[in-house]
Amino acid sequence: MSPEPTEPKKFYVLSTTEGCATNLLENNAYRKQYEIAGMESASSPEEADLILINTCGYSKEMEDKAVNIIAGHRQKYPGKQIQLAGCLPKINPQKIRKDFAELKVQHFPEIPFEDQGNEFASKDFGGLSFKHRLMVNARPLFFKIENLLGLKWQPLHNLVNSVVVNSEFFLITVSTGCLGFCTFCGIKKAKGSLRSRPLPTIASEFKKGLAAGYKNFWILGDDIGCWGQDLGLSIVDLLAEFTKTKEDFNLVINYVDPQFIAKYPNQLVEVLKDRRIVGVNIPIQSGSTPILKSMARRYEAKPILKIIEQMKVGNPNLAIKTNIIVGFPNESWSDFFQSVKSVFAFDAILALKFTARPGTPAATYPNQISETVKSLRHTLINLAILGRHAWVLLASLFRVEAPELPYPTTPVQNKV
Ligand code: SF4
């Protein structure tokens, strides 16, 4: 008779993400759940009885990476319990049921935000992509050179500080989920609708970070643009809460859906004049209006790019990042070149090839673009991005930090 399976005593948590800050922070919460269950943290998969794989699946590429890691661990550690968590089981449950039916998908009950903590566990950086690890390791040297020369090259300094995850940051999750129904997006299936954290809770975490001596702060959410819409507040109130203090700090804002840039243009241009706000990601996704419509994105590119220009005038040090999808169904060459043109409004750009996510409207749209054309467009836009990044680098080296403005500037009212 086969011996009763013994209760796992030691656990090990790993991520398959390339650099999703939210996914990495969730690892802390998963570890806490196992500790609450009386288990001990192992320092390696070898040492563990149970391995939790926290998956990412926003693109086919990330799904394939997660599937390879799961299959690899199942093969390498046949005697261990392997459990799955994260986005992929929600984005593509059929794939998990088909390939990993015997593995348990961990649906921890609603994990309180607090359990995520406010710091990355540096042990989670080991699984990052080469590009991310290169930036994480080169960053201290870059700042050393600046200090030696007594200069701050902007916006390059703010980019290097915030373009990828950074263990120097105090992380504050302000919300989860979003109000969008973007036709390409699998994340919505994983994160659901918007749940904003109350402003007083966010404010007290910010104070906790300042009191702990942190200078760098990163506010996280799937779409921070919609923060507060379920509380009768808005992103303008959120940023006003951070900038009302006289303390010095650096603030990075994760994703802001451009529809909220269009909704609060003047207030956001005004609050972003505060040089303590050093980075924001505004995923434009496409430069073409017809494509944005078919993505169910609720804005047009041109007016957004105009507002971004104003933001850069108000705060030249601000590092503005974006994501662009190429090869979306029915994308013509002229649509594509609209996206290439939009590259030049940003300081850091990530271009992704459209990949159909299961159960999303765009997955069954007619006029899907062939892999060959998608790859050609991806190569072309990456050439434009390379040019833009080189320009931002050179322009920064020949332009030192704009003089500090006394802040806070004019208190920003949410004049909606
Ligand atoms: S805003 Fe759109 S792209 Fe972003 S998570 Fe929501 S549905 Fe996905």
Side-chain angles (χ1 to χ4, degrees), residues 35-196:
E35 280 152 9
I36 291 169
M39 295 174 67
E40 218 186 300
S41 178
S43 58
S44 69
E46 285 73 17
E47 202 192 308
D49 310 303
L50 181 153
I51 300 168
L52 179 87
I53 303 179
N54 181 9
T55 61
C56 173
Y58 76 82
S59 70
K60 183 71 173 66
E61 200 190 339
M62 285 301 112
E63 174 179 310
D64 295 346
K65 182 182 174 196
V67 166
N68 291 339
I69 290 173
I70 300 168
H73 279 71
R74 181 175 58 181
Q75 191 182 8
K76 194 170 174 193
Y77 307 108
K80 297 181 190 295
Q81 263 194 53
I82 294 183
Q83 296 185 350
L84 307 179
C87 292
L88 186 57
K90 295 169 197 144
I91 292 175
N92 197 349
Q94 304 85 347
K95 178 76 179 168
I96 298 297
R97 273 198 298 278
K98 182 171 142 293
D99 293 12
F100 307 110
E102 82 286 5
L103 301 183
K104 178 178 176 186
V105 174
Q106 261 299 357
H107 292 299
F108 290 109
E110 198 59 39
I111 300 181
F113 285 112
E114 289 69 26
D115 280 9
Q116 293 183 351
N118 302 99
E119 295 148 352
F120 290 122
S122 49
K123 61 184 160 193
D124 287 327
F125 284 11
L128 296 177
S129 71
F130 171 74
K131 261 192 314 187
H132 282 77
R133 279 182 281 127
L134 182 67
M135 178 55 90
V136 167
N137 296 318
R139 187 180 275 147
L141 176 62
F142 174 84
F143 292 145
K144 251 203 205 94
I145 296 169
E146 277 194 324
N147 291 341
L148 272 177
L149 300 170
L151 291 174
K152 252 193 200 169
W153 292 304
Q154 290 290 16
L156 185 62
H157 175 93
N158 287 345
L159 265 177
V160 169
N161 201 21
S162 68
V163 77
V164 296
V165 290
N166 185 340
S167 56
E168 309 272 318
F169 275 74
F170 190 88
L171 311 159
I172 304 176
T173 301
V174 297
S175 62
T176 185
C178 70
L179 295 176
F181 295 94
C182 307
T183 57
F184 55 82
C185 181
I187 302 168
K188 181 79 183 191
K189 287 169 72 179
K191 297 299 176 83
S193 290
L194 172 65
R195 277 157 298 143
S196 303

Side-chain angles (χ1 to χ4, degrees), residues 15 33 84 140-141 148 178 188 211 239 243 272-273 304 340:
S15 268
Q33 294 297 314
L84 307 179
L141 176 62
L148 272 177
C178 70
K188 181 79 183 191
L239 298 180
T243 54
L272 291 176
K273 282 181 184 167
I304 298 294
V340 172

Side-chain angles (χ1 to χ4, degrees), residues 287-306:
S288 147
T289 300
I291 294 297
L292 286 171
K293 271 212 172 68
S294 115
M295 287 176 166
R297 302 285 278 179
R298 301 175 200 148
Y299 54 86
E300 292 194 5
K302 268 211 181 83
I304 298 294
L305 298 177
K306 269 249 156 296

Side-chain angles (χ1 to χ4, degrees), residues 389-403:
H389 288 169
W391 170 256
V392 171
L393 174 77
L394 288 174
S396 299
L397 295 180
F398 293 103
R399 184 181 75 77
V400 290
E401 175 146 18

